[in-house]
């Protein structure tokens, strides 16, 4: 996931242009002058983008499954009967039954919650940890930047999947909290590097020097004047990495170091039914389809955000 740091590099170079354009007036169709801003223009572009809207709608559907599963099914995923084991899909049970005779559709609906919870918590964690450390490194420079950058290099040298497997094996407690902590510990350096680059390109702009000249404190300069200029690349990366963390949870669970039964997740569904692919392929196709659709939707949303927020694409 460290390759996504190019998002920040591509966008931070145009931060001054975006700032200058934020307050520039532009005429509308009626000839009236309206106030143009980067975020308002991005919002209008995203609303007109069918790919972004379809991806966002899919994410909303999956999010509603995670938050309100009873809106999608009245079946209890733990109401199992081995006599119904691996019964094929039907009109009453569109996903059929799993190996234990549980309703597979309700299992898929309830399986969205842990996957989405881990992805959201881990993404918020890397935004807070990585964003703060990147802000400090870019603003202060010197030994602060050197120390934080060397720590980032240490984490970058550790392969993501291998590091997650090692940490979770050592912890020996696999739940939503431990998986989220491991993903945050391994995922924060990329966003820290993105923010660091954006802050370095922004802290020498005229409006920052003007605020410093009137006596603004370092904290105000960082959080009021510099950080808002670095939010765009961070938002793009955070959207893309949401999908990455959904896939990471499923991968770790499939490998046996993630969530464990009786927990419910798409990774557990894939792991428990992989051996039945040739006989009953739908046992893998349904959870894999939900997983791929969710990851792809976050990636498409991130790409659309990048295009909408980067002035070079206008």
């Amino acid at each position: 996931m460290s390759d996504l740091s190019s998002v920040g590099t591509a966008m931070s170079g145009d931060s001054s242009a975006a700032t200058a354009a934020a307050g520039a007036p532009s005429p509308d169709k009626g000839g009236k002058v309206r106030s143009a801003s980067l975020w308002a223009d991005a919002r209008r572009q995203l609303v007109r983008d069918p790919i972004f809207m379809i991806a966002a709608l899919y994410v909303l559907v999956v999010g509603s499954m995670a938050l309100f599963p009873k809106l999608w099914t009245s079946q209890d995923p733990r109401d199992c009967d081995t006599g119904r084991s691996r019964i094929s899909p039907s009109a009453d049970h569109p996903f059929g039954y799993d190996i234990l005779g549980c309703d597979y559709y309700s299992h898929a609906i309830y399986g969205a919650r842990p996957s989405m919870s881990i992805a959201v918590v881990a993404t918020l964690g890397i935004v807070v940890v990585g964003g703060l450390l990147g802000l400090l490194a870019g603003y202060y420079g010197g030994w602060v930047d050197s120390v934080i950058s060397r720590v980032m290099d240490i984490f970058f040298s550790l392969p993501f999947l291998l590091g997650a497997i090692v940490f979770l094996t050592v912890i020996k407690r696999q739940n939503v909290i431990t998986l989220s902590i491991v993903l945050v510990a391994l995922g924060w350096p990329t966003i820290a590097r993105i923010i660091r680059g954006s802050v370095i390109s922004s802290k020498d702009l005229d409006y920052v020097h003007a605020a410093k000249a009137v006596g603004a404190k370092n904290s105000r300069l960082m959080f009021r004047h510099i950080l808002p200029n670095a939010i765009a690349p961070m938002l793009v990366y955070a959207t893309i990495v949401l999908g990455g963390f959904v896939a990471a949870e499923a991968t770790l669970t499939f490998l046996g170091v993630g969530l464990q039964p009786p927990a419910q997740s798409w990774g557990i569904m894939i792991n428990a039914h992989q051996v039945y692919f040739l006989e009953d392929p739908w046992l893998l196709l349904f959870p894999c389809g939900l997983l791929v659709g969710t990851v792809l939707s976050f990636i498409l949303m991130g790409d659309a955000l990048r295009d909408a927020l980067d002035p070079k694409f206008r």
Side-chain angles (χ1 to χ4, degrees), residues 36 126 138 226 269 281 283:
I126 66 169
I226 296 178
M269 297 172 69
L283 289 172

Side-chain angles (χ1 to χ4, degrees), residues 47-201:
V47 170
R48 298 189 184 103
D49 188 344
I51 294 179
F52 176 85
M53 296 304 296
I54 293 173
L57 178 61
Y58 188 94
V59 169
L60 287 176
V61 169
V62 174
S64 67
M65 292 178 184
L67 293 173
F68 311 106
K70 292 185 178 180
L71 290 178
W72 294 89
T73 179
S74 59
Q75 297 289 329
D76 184 354
R78 291 189 171 89
D79 180 14
C80 307
D81 182 355
T82 54
R84 303 177 301 197
S85 177
R86 295 163 56 192
I87 294 180
S88 300
S90 62
D92 294 331
H93 302 276
F95 284 15
Y97 292 90
D98 66 8
I99 185 176
L100 296 177
C102 310
D103 183 71
Y104 211 43
Y105 173 74
S106 63
H107 197 168
I109 296 299
Y110 280 85
R113 175 172 292 179
S115 299
M116 294 296 291
S117 298
I118 290 172
V120 171
V121 172
T123 301
L124 291 175
I126 66 169
V127 167
V128 173
V129 176
L132 180 60
L133 292 177
L135 181 62
L136 294 175
Y139 182 79
Y140 287 106
W143 68 267
V144 176
D145 185 20
S146 298
V147 171
I148 295 177
S149 295
R150 297 298 76 76
V151 174
M152 284 193 289
D153 291 338
I154 293 173
F155 279 89
F156 276 131
S157 65
L158 182 64
F160 185 87
L161 184 58
L162 176 61
I165 293 175
V166 171
F167 287 155
L168 289 171
T169 302
V170 171
I171 294 173
K172 296 181 180 179
R173 294 187 63 183
Q174 290 83 24
N175 52 46
V176 172
I177 300 300
T178 55
L179 260 70
S180 300
I181 292 174
V182 169
L183 293 177
V184 171
L186 295 172
W188 69 267
T190 301
I191 206 163
R193 181 161 289 182
I194 291 174
I195 294 299
R196 174 183 175 274
S198 297
V199 171
I200 290 175
S201 65

